[in-house]
Amino acid sequence: MTEKDEGDYPRPDFQRDRLRWQSLNGPWDFLFDDDDIGQTKLWQHKGLPASVTLNTTDNQNNAQNNPQARDSLMETISAHPDQLVKDNIHTKLSNTTNHKRIIIVPYVFQCLASGIGERTAHEVLWYERNIDDLRTAEEKQRGDRVIIRFGAIDYEARVWVEGHYVGEHRGGQVPFELDITGIFDISPSGSKRLTVRVFDSTDDLTQPRGKQYWKPKSESIFYTPSSGIWQSVWLEVVPATRIGDSSHGTVIRSDDIENGILHANIAILGRRAGQALKVQLTASLAGEQIVLSDLHNLPRETNTVKIDLPMHVSPNLFSTLSTTFQTSHQQSDTRMWHKNTALWSPDHPTLYTLSISLYSSSTRLLDKIHTTTGMRSLSWSNSDSTFRLNNNPFFQALALDQGYWPHTFLTPPSTAALKADIKLSKSLGFNGCRKHQKVEDPRFLHLADTLGFLVWGETANAYAFSSLYAERFSAEWTEAVRRDINHPSIITWTPVNESWGYTDLATSITQRNHLRAVYHTTKVLDPSRPVNDNCGWEHVVNDLTTFHDYADGDVLTETCKSVDEILAPKSNRPVFVSPIEGEDAGCRHEQGTPIICTEFAGINIGGGANGGDDNERDWGYTTASDPQDLLSRIRTMVTGIVSGGHICGFVYTQLVDIEQEVNGLCDYNRKPKLEVDKVREVIDEAVGLYYEMVEKRLGKV
């Protein structure tokens, strides 16, 4: 994080009116624990030692188990198994002593920004620093709480304050928080020692890890791992009785544009038994309040309250808004308004500001939250193969965005870098992205809401199936959906990619059932968005028909002319699983379901023209001879996908190069390989062709 970012609250989508917080990003003490002796030696109580001597006769932590199985897995996943690095396995460490050092949080030890930049395998990591009670005397008297928040730690974290165990969490992509007030109340004076132990397995392929490679040298489509703390850490003072965020049950449903009603379910935390509370919801537009709900009593039997808020802006009310807003958002424009409700879309990302207020029974203000929402509807069951945004057919021109940076890896280097990626994508002609194998920093989604950028929500997958995997993945995916459910920019959920973690969907009913369970859990949490159960192939249940095809342009064009060819096996996998006689009905494409090519292209430029440091390892699915050839190939592909008349969206692989995978439209430092205007022209032509064809087929829509 830059110094400027230190003033940026990590959750801009959910801010308290009385915000009191302190960033814990920056220097921490750090120590590798390769023999995993720290807990036995009571480091959490005594503090981290200056160094630790390794047991060289018994240490197997860095000798990789069963490399043959992992080689077989890579040969299955990789497009070019013949190019895999030989003898690419972890070996024992040569050093015999690990020394305590400084790490810069939230950067992982493997990246340069952490101040360490060490690529060797270490599974057990310890972090330590001092913290202070942020509360004023008044806040202590009022009973306010001190919470420590972790944006994400990969993979298992255990936390102590002054040697007192305060909690733990499993799941590398999602946030958690711990109430540490009691430690300060018991011992009010002085700083307290905060200790975090992290375990991130090198070998366990049932652990969701996404694109983080389990071998020492990254190759093919896999990259250097990111272990430990990789998103922001901060302390926050909060009211004892307070409004919960989406992770704790506050859900803002903003898809009912026909009635112009916002459906909110507000969750309250820290309520005392029988405590009488009231909740009120306010919406503003262009800085002016447009509606204020009644005070709603929190039911005695539950800690949530439902509030329906009309979001209409009458012509009289509209006339009171700023002249600038009236000029740029004329109510006669049906792209921006529906029945006097302002609409959110990539072209016109109009956001309402919401304020949620919590009161005592005597209407004393206890807590107040500010957030935003965009009124927009999604429909995908239209029986005409369209995906619709705000009732209109909408073509999704998306880029595959994996969210890696050269010196910070999965951690965004700054808020500005996140904003720059969205602007770069839009300048190239894309109206959104498929965030691939990562739950992105919340700041990205806040920016996507603000700038008008569609996002497919995804998370890191594993590569082997077991009951433990099923337990882990179900929990982490649920947490990811809950964290991001209130962002209008998110329009599709994609829990699984290319059967990763589900190695035998052809014959395993257990694996099919778990994937269906993930789908149905997602639909229970959020019925307002489609779920892309298994992106690419082997669908077991479907809202969308998605497929991946990295063929050259002419072949891809022929494929997209026919639904039968689109549904033909891809990479030797069926697009839909077949029935298992007498046991499982399988799944199939339903006529009228939207079809989207969710990965294609992946083209690098030959001759070291990609700008990588190791040109011999430059990797792409196919290779262009020069930039002009690359642009020509892109034009052939996007035109071919659309011209067949069956497909309503695509995901171009990919936005930027990452390590050895140099098939991005931009290099790793975000420098475009082609003239931006020319790429946008190609994308715009394909999107325009889609709308021409839809109008001919369905009439004016």
Side-chain angles (χ1 to χ4, degrees):
M1 305 287 169
T2 65
E3 288 186 11
K4 184 177 179 181
D5 280 337
E6 291 304 314
D8 292 346
Y9 183 63
R11 289 299 302 267
D13 55 324
F14 194 84
Q15 293 200 46
R16 288 199 146 73
D17 194 45
R18 193 172 61 218
L19 183 62
R20 294 262 292 114
W21 72 288
Q22 178 187 25
S23 173
L24 298 184
N25 294 342
W28 290 53
D29 289 337
F30 181 78
L31 183 61
F32 295 127
D33 184 10
D34 296 316
D35 286 338
D36 194 12
I37 62 171
Q39 291 184 96
T40 303
K41 297 293 185 180
L42 303 179
W43 292 357
Q44 65 272 30
H45 295 286
K46 300 177 181 179
L48 301 187
S51 63
V52 57
T53 301
L54 301 181
N55 181 349
T56 57
T57 61
D58 191 41
N59 189 334
Q60 296 183 2
N61 286 352
N62 297 285
Q64 193 162 34
N65 297 319
N66 197 12
Q68 293 82 10
R70 286 154 180 78
D71 287 343
S72 176
L73 174 63
M74 274 305 301
E75 289 171 5
T76 300
I77 294 174
S78 176
H80 300 297
D82 56 307
Q83 298 178 13
L84 298 177
V85 177
K86 303 300 182 186
D87 300 320
N88 191 12
I89 60 173
H90 290 289
T91 57
K92 289 184 179 180
L93 296 172
S94 58
N95 59 302
T96 58
T97 303
N98 287 329
H99 296 276
K100 182 170 68 175
R101 60 183 102 179
I102 297 297
I103 190 170
I104 306 302
V105 167
Y107 304 112
V108 298
F109 75 83
Q110 294 97 334
C111 76
L112 292 174
S114 70
I116 296 176
E118 187 170 317
R119 303 287 184 99
T120 51
H122 301 279
E123 294 185 315
V124 183
L125 321 171
W126 287 76
Y127 297 78
E128 192 170 80
R129 63 159 292 163
N130 286 333
I131 57 174
D132 295 299
D133 191 342
L134 298 184
R135 294 174 300 171
T136 64
E138 180 184 355
E139 288 167 337
K140 292 177 183 178
Q141 179 66 31
R142 195 167 54 220
D144 287 359
R145 313 298 293 177
V146 182
I147 305 293
I148 183 168
R149 302 190 191 275
F150 297 91
I153 300 180
D154 203 346
Y155 173 68
E156 296 177 2
R158 187 167 292 174
V159 184
W160 298 263
V161 178
E162 282 297 298
H164 298 280
Y165 171 77
V166 293
E168 60 188 87
H169 181 264
R170 180 176 68 185
Q173 299 287 312
V174 289
F176 67 101
E177 63 184 49
L178 301 168
D179 187 333
I180 58 173
T181 312
I183 307 299
F184 290 114
D185 287 347
I186 292 170
S187 177
S189 61
S191 298
K192 310 302 177 192
R193 181 168 37 85
L194 169 64
T195 307
V196 181
R197 176 192 179 272
V198 176
F199 175 72
D200 186 20
S201 174
T202 301
D203 294 323
D204 185 359
L205 296 187
T206 68
Q207 174 183 308
R209 63 183 64 238
K211 290 298 195 79
Q212 301 179 60
Y213 204 22
W214 50 88
K215 295 186 179 184
K217 191 167 187 177
S218 60
E219 57 184 332
S220 183
I221 60 172
F222 294 94
Y223 320 124
T224 307
S226 291
S227 301
I229 298 172
W230 69 274
Q231 287 192 28
S232 289
V233 185
W234 70 101
L235 290 175
E236 187 168 345
V237 178
V238 299
T241 306
R242 59 193 180 275
I243 301 161
D245 62 13
S246 59
S247 294
H248 294 93
T250 292
V251 177
I252 309 295
R253 281 283 300 272
S254 59
D255 60 323
D256 186 1
I257 66 171
E258 291 306 314
N259 296 304
I261 302 295
L262 182 80
H263 303 285
N265 187 68
I266 311 300
I268 303 303
L269 306 179
R271 181 191 195 183
R272 301 191 310 275
Q275 185 179 11
L277 299 168
K278 301 175 184 292
V279 179
Q280 190 170 50
L281 182 59
T282 304
S284 301
L285 187 64
E288 298 293 333
Q289 181 177 303
I290 63 165
V291 62
L292 172 68
S293 78
D294 295 333
L295 284 168
H296 288 252
N297 292 316
L298 191 67
R300 183 178 178 84
E301 69 276 10
T302 179
N303 292 324
T304 61
V305 61
K306 297 182 184 298
I307 301 177
D308 291 341
L309 199 66
M311 307 296 278
H312 311 98
V313 180
S314 69
N316 286 340
L317 183 55
F318 180 76
S319 67
T320 67
L321 303 180
S322 71
T323 303
T324 301
F325 183 84
Q326 290 183 53
T327 302
S328 60
H329 294 75
Q330 296 184 20
Q331 282 196 303
S332 58
D333 191 334
T334 56
R335 298 170 302 168
M336 300 187 193
W337 297 87
H338 184 71
K339 299 180 179 179
N340 289 338
T341 298
L343 300 178
W344 185 96
S345 71
D347 292 330
H348 306 284
T350 304
L351 292 173
Y352 290 85
T353 299
L354 303 178
S355 296
I356 309 169
S357 300
L358 175 66
Y359 296 95
S360 68
S361 58
S362 61
T363 65
R364 178 172 60 89
L365 182 64
L366 301 177
D367 193 16
K368 188 172 185 178
I369 290 292
H370 301 289
T371 186
T372 58
T373 193
M375 295 294 290
R376 60 102 185 97
S377 68
L378 306 173
S379 56
W380 56 94
S381 302
N382 305 301
S383 72
D384 58 8
S385 302
T386 62
F387 185 101
R388 296 189 177 228
L389 174 65
N390 298 332
N391 297 329
N392 296 313
F394 189 87
F395 189 89
Q396 298 179 61
L398 311 180
L400 194 77
D401 181 353
Q402 306 197 62
Y404 273 78
W405 287 266
H407 300 294
T408 63
F409 296 178
L410 284 171
T411 306
S414 65
T415 303
L418 292 167
K419 187 174 184 178
D421 273 7
I422 293 176
K423 289 194 167 184
L424 175 61
S425 296
K426 295 191 75 165
S427 73
L428 290 164
F430 298 107
N431 52 32
C433 73
R434 177 182 161 209
K435 267 293 174 182
H436 189 40
Q437 290 299 293
K438 178 187 185 185
V439 179
E440 189 55 275
D441 189 297
R443 293 172 297 165
F444 178 86
L445 294 172
H446 180 70
L447 288 165
D449 293 343
T450 303
L451 298 173
F453 194 64
L454 305 177
V455 180
W456 283 32
E458 192 169 328
T459 192
N461 292 160
Y463 295 93
F465 188 88
S466 69
S467 58
L468 177 58
Y469 157 78
E471 176 188 327
R472 286 168 160 173
F473 186 79
S474 294
E476 189 168 358
W477 175 247
T478 296
E479 291 177 48
V481 172
R482 284 178 169 159
R483 192 200 79 169
D484 295 340
I485 195 170
N486 291 334
H487 289 281
S489 56
I490 290 190
I491 61 167
T492 299
W493 298 114
T494 299
V496 175
N497 179 67
E498 294 184 345
S499 305
W500 292 355
Y502 300 84
T503 54
D504 189 21
L505 287 172
T507 64
S508 173
I509 295 174
T510 298
Q511 292 186 20
R512 291 185 181 193
N513 284 342
H514 182 255
L515 190 48
R516 289 186 182 116
V518 170
Y519 167 91
H520 288 295
T521 296
T522 311
K523 300 298 279 190
V524 169
L525 292 170
D526 180 15
S528 72
R529 295 175 175 93
V531 178
N532 177 26
D533 67 318
N534 186 14
C535 196
W537 48 67
E538 291 192 304
H539 295 285
V540 300
V541 60
N542 72 318
D543 289 339
L544 308 172
T545 293
T546 64
F547 71 100
H548 297 173
D549 195 330
Y550 284 101
D552 276 329
D554 292 341
V555 176
L556 182 60
T557 298
E558 286 300 311
T559 294
C560 294
K561 287 180 179 179
S562 161
V563 173
D564 287 342
E565 287 301 314
I566 290 170
L567 299 179
K570 303 291 182 288
S571 296
N572 298 316
R573 305 284 188 97
V575 175
F576 289 86
V577 294
S578 300
I580 299 174
E581 187 174 355
E583 297 184 84
D584 189 275
C587 187
R588 62 185 177 86
H589 172 72
E590 299 290 343
Q591 186 174 356
T593 298
I595 301 174
I596 302 177
C597 180
T598 44
E599 286 186 30
F600 74 102
I603 310 164
N604 69 327
I605 302 175
N610 302 284
D613 295 329
D614 186 358
N615 292 333
E616 291 184 359
R617 298 183 68 231
D618 282 2
W619 190 92
Y621 290 89
T622 57
T623 301
S625 58
D626 54 38
Q628 291 73 29
D629 183 33
L630 174 59
L631 184 64
S632 175
R633 287 168 179 252
I634 295 170
R635 185 186 301 274
T636 299
M637 287 181 172
V638 297
T639 303
I641 288 171
V642 173
S643 62
H646 304 293
I647 294 172
C648 63
F650 59 61
V651 181
Y652 182 91
T653 302
Q654 62 179 327
L655 180 61
V656 301
D657 295 345
I658 304 172
E659 297 187 351
Q660 75 288 337
E661 188 178 1
V662 291
N663 49 28
L665 288 170
C666 308
D667 68 17
Y668 208 176
N669 292 306
R670 274 57 178 175
K671 180 182 178 181
K673 299 176 185 177
L674 302 170
E675 291 183 40
V676 169
D677 290 347
K678 290 186 176 180
V679 177
R680 184 173 63 247
E681 180 182 304
V682 168
I683 301 298
D684 286 349
E685 286 176 357
V687 174
L689 176 60
Y690 171 78
Y691 289 121
E692 289 176 13
M693 297 174 70
V694 166
E695 186 168 337
K696 288 179 181 178
R697 180 163 60 92
L698 301 178
K700 190 70 175 177
V701 292

